[in-house]
């Protein structure tokens, strides 16, 4: 009996099925890994947002300036109003444009 030195040309049916199985398995493994990674990143981002929100909620009451019941007079009144505007601007209540407009109104 004479055996040939191997198959030449296209792979047979079994070779094609094996190659397809390898490709499909690799694609599925890659897809699963990407899904796990995206879920992990989404979970981490959600935790970061929750922590930032909690920190903002805790810091917000501390930013409220106490209201003076007896207003000071003269130059002290102007300085206190400017300080109050500065605090509102730093806390984010006033935008840059609103702060500039209110400051120019006080100074004029």
């Amino acid at each position: 009996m004479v055996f040939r030195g191997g198959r030449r040309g296209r792979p047979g049916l079994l070779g094609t099925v094996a190659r397809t199985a390898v490709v499909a398995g690799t694609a599925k493994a890659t897809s699963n890994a990407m899904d796990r990674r995206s879920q992990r990143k989404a979970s981490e981002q959600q935790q970061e947002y929750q922590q930032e929100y909690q920190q903002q909620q805790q810091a917000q009451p501390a930013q409220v300036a106490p209201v003076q019941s007896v207003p000071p007079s003269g130059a002290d009144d102007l300085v206190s109003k400017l300080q109050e505007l500065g605090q509102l601007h730093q806390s984010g209540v006033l935008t840059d444009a609103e702060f500039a407009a209110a400051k120019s109104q006080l100074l004029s």
Side-chain angles (χ1 to χ4, degrees):
M1 192 173 204
V2 177
F3 292 103
R4 295 191 326 192
R7 183 169 177 93
R8 295 178 191 233
R10 296 183 183 181
L13 179 61
L14 192 57
T16 303
V17 169
R19 182 178 298 150
T20 303
V22 168
V23 170
T26 303
K28 185 67 176 170
T30 303
S31 174
N32 287 343
M34 290 174 62
D35 287 344
R36 284 191 303 269
R37 182 171 183 245
S38 65
Q39 287 175 354
R40 186 175 59 241
K41 285 180 80 174
S43 174
E44 290 171 358
Q45 284 180 344
Q46 184 177 9
Q47 288 175 354
E48 288 175 13
Y49 291 144
Q50 287 176 350
Q51 288 174 353
E52 288 177 13
Y53 179 75
Q54 289 173 354
Q55 289 173 353
Q56 288 175 355
Q57 293 300 319
Q58 291 172 354
Q60 198 168 22
Q63 293 176 353
V64 175
V67 178
Q68 296 178 354
S69 59
V70 179
S73 61
D76 291 337
D77 187 35
L78 179 63
V79 172
S80 67
K81 286 183 180 180
L82 286 173
Q83 287 176 344
E84 192 174 322
L85 276 176
Q87 289 175 350
L88 290 172
H89 182 253
Q90 286 178 346
S91 66
V93 174
L94 295 177
T95 64
D96 291 338
E98 293 171 336
F99 173 71
K103 185 173 80 171
S104 65
Q105 185 179 22
L106 281 175
L107 294 176
S108 59

